[in-house]
Amino acid sequence: MSAAGDPRAERTRAKLRAALLAECADRPLAELTVAAVARRAGVGRATCYLHYPDLAALAVDACAEVVREAVEALHAWRGVPDPAVPPAALLEFFDRVGGHAGLYRELLAPGGGGPLGPVLHRELRERSRRERELAGAPDAALIASAVAGTFTGVLADWLHGLLDEPPASVAARVWRLLIGLHRTPLV
């Protein structure tokens, strides 16, 4: 059985992810050590390095859940989307993301860069492209890239305080932007 399918390996990675998030609640990622995370997870340092090349890779994996939540939140509607009413999941996402905002700020640079930015962008772009293609909407790849770039950039800028808005407001405004992108005719 490969490490990817090994339940013991997945349990160890889950312990490491949880330990990293717990450590980041106390101090910034830049101040963490592999030893501290391994100790909190109840594993040895060598075990940590067996699963992740460094703390940044572990942090990106630990934050992968926020990527999945963002993708699901943006696609949590059926029928014709109402630009005035963002999906409840999107509002909840912006409310919840503040719980580990410090870590997300370290991994998601303003504008959407950093180690987490490309992961979020890629996942959003792929889901948007698939959904547009299934709906028979034109310009699937172009609109999907615009949606992914817009959301990733707005989220990153909001986390860094470049957009001074409460969670519900930024969720509603980014929702209107994304609906506008989907509805824009490309001539």
Side-chain angles (χ1 to χ4, degrees):
M1 180 178 287
S2 72
D6 183 351
R8 292 170 300 162
E10 184 46 45
R11 280 192 302 272
T12 300
R13 284 190 295 275
K15 284 182 190 180
L16 288 165
R17 289 188 300 264
L20 179 116
L21 291 173
E23 287 289 320
C24 283
D26 298 332
R27 62 183 168 262
L29 179 64
E31 294 178 12
L32 295 186
T33 65
V34 170
V37 172
R39 188 172 32 259
R40 186 175 281 235
V43 301
R45 283 183 44 209
T47 299
C48 187
Y49 284 117
L50 180 66
H51 294 280
Y52 300 99
D54 54 32
L55 281 177
L58 170 56
V60 169
D61 189 36
C63 293
E65 185 61 28
V66 78
V67 170
R68 285 187 291 279
E69 287 177 12
V71 171
E72 290 307 315
L74 284 175
H75 295 89
W77 55 273
R78 293 293 169 245
V80 178
D82 181 351
V85 182
L90 185 60
L91 295 167
E92 292 166 11
F93 169 78
F94 275 96
D95 277 335
R96 271 193 321 273
V97 81
H100 293 293
L103 176 59
Y104 299 144
R105 276 191 297 273
E106 289 186 67
L107 297 173
L108 190 60
L116 192 58
V119 175
L120 179 57
H121 188 275
R122 181 179 58 248
E123 296 293 324
L124 286 169
R125 185 185 64 234
E126 182 56 28
R127 176 76 179 268
S128 259
R129 185 193 56 75
R130 271 195 327 265
E131 295 222 354
R132 284 188 70 81
E133 286 175 351
L134 285 173
D139 302 306
L142 180 65
I143 297 299
S145 288
V147 164
T150 297
F151 184 81
T152 303
V154 167
L155 174 62
D157 287 357
W158 179 70
L159 285 169
H160 283 276
L162 300 174
L163 303 172
D164 186 22
E165 298 188 40
S169 175
V170 75
R173 295 185 74 196
V174 77
W175 177 246
R176 285 190 299 273
L177 279 171
L178 298 176
I179 295 300
L181 285 170
H182 279 284
R183 292 183 175 168
T184 302
L186 301 174
V187 199

